[in-house]
Amino acid sequence: MLTLTDNAAGLVRVLASRADHPDQAGLRIAPRAHEQGGNLTVAITGGPDAGDQVVEIKGIRVFLAPEAAERLDDKYLDVEPMPGGSVSFRVSRQEP
């Protein structure tokens, strides 16, 4: 199952608390539309899409599109600081 690092969980909590319905909000991970490179989109949403696998990790609701659920089954999701103060989510096979 996908695991979130403490840093990723903390960031998702902050972002979800800013959503319109924070009690139902969660992190949705899905393949990018019309892309074959294997990239994923990560977004805070108000709930799962039809067919999403819903899991709770470290108290955070995570909505995994079927294709993403298969690819992330044994992975870690972490955040990586980027220039300019932004962050990027990063998937790895090992705990960072």
Side-chain angles (χ1 to χ4, degrees):
M1 179 192 325
L2 175 69
T3 301
L4 272 66
T5 65
D6 290 341
N7 289 339
L11 177 61
V12 173
R13 276 191 196 92
V14 169
L15 296 174
S17 72
R18 298 178 184 167
D20 290 336
H21 304 284
D23 293 342
Q24 300 171 11
L27 181 73
R28 182 162 195 272
I29 305 174
R32 285 188 190 254
H34 310 296
E35 188 166 319
Q36 297 178 357
N39 290 327
L40 300 169
T41 61
V42 178
I44 299 296
T45 63
D49 283 4
D52 281 359
Q53 178 181 343
V54 180
V55 295
E56 189 165 320
I57 304 169
K58 296 187 178 188
I60 296 169
R61 293 179 58 180
V62 179
F63 314 127
L64 298 167
E67 302 88 346
E70 289 179 29
R71 291 174 33 198
L72 299 175
D73 185 45
D74 59 348
K75 308 289 188 300
Y76 287 85
L77 185 68
D78 196 12
V79 291
E80 180 175 352
M82 303 297 286
S86 65
V87 295
S88 176
F89 284 97
R90 181 185 65 201
V91 175
S92 65
R93 292 182 186 261
Q94 301 176 27
E95 185 171 9

